[in-house]
Amino acid sequence: MMFGFSLAYFLVILDTTVLTIALPDLRASLGGSLAGQQWAVNAYTVAFAASLLVGGAVADRYGAARIFKAGWWPSARSRC
């Protein structure tokens, strides 16, 4: 089970890294400003935090291992 949680945390770090690496290309291709880039990062962070809060509440109600094994986390992350 610890391997599963470690893998999930790795995916969180990977998402953040991918977003950080993609920002200059997104800014160049979309013609945005630095302020727009900051808003995009903030919007991503807020949406991700909201999904973590909802996922935590669901895990408290139905059991963390059960929800994790059911694959609720990947489906919640794909909606962000």
Side-chain angles (χ1 to χ4, degrees):
M1 193 63 154
M2 188 62 157
F3 175 75
F5 289 127
S6 298
L7 181 63
Y9 186 66
F10 171 74
L11 291 175
V12 170
I13 293 171
L14 184 67
D15 277 351
T16 307
T17 304
V18 167
L19 179 65
T20 304
I21 291 172
L23 282 175
D25 288 337
L26 287 172
R27 184 175 176 192
S29 65
L30 297 175
S33 64
L34 181 60
Q37 191 175 8
Q38 289 171 338
W39 274 103
V41 171
N42 288 338
Y44 175 80
T45 304
V46 167
F48 189 71
S51 69
L52 285 177
L53 289 173
V54 171
V58 170
D60 285 344
R61 184 171 196 157
Y62 298 109
R66 186 171 160 195
I67 297 300
F68 190 78
K69 288 177 184 176
W72 194 86
W73 287 101
S75 67
R77 294 198 47 206
S78 67
R79 292 184 189 126
C80 287

